[in-house]
């Protein structure tokens, strides 16, 4: 059965905020979400890696979406 899973950032626990330049998380990354195993398949429709960033690389507005 195919389906979609949505993930909402949990602040300091967010894997995308802790890897703001996508060095670890990206297409093909194995994930465990809601008790199921899967893989990141593609960038989300609102993915924008070219937003302004702070000194440590954290996006200052919406940036990374992964599917």
């Amino acid at each position: 059965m195919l389906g979609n899973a949505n993930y909402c950032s949990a602040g300091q626990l967010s894997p995308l905020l802790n890897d703001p330049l996508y060095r670890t998380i990206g297409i093909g990354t194995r994930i465990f979400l809601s008790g199921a195993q899967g893989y990141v398949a593609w960038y989300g429709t609102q993915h924008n890696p070219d937003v302004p960033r702070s000194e440590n690389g954290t996006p200052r507005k919406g940036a990374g979406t992964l599917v």
Side-chain angles (χ1 to χ4, degrees):
M1 178 178 192
L2 296 175
N4 292 330
N6 293 320
Y7 170 80
C8 180
S9 173
Q12 291 182 6
L13 299 176
S14 170
L16 289 178
L17 288 178
N18 289 312
D19 183 20
L21 300 176
Y22 319 108
R23 292 184 177 147
T24 303
I25 301 170
I27 295 174
T29 302
R30 189 172 182 169
I31 59 172
F32 185 74
L33 183 66
S34 299
Q37 295 181 28
Y39 294 89
V40 174
W42 199 248
Y43 300 112
T45 57
Q46 298 177 18
H47 184 77
N48 181 7
D50 299 322
V51 297
R53 296 177 179 272
S54 65
E55 291 180 13
N56 68 355
T58 305
R60 294 183 183 258
K61 60 182 185 176
T65 61
L66 300 171
V67 178

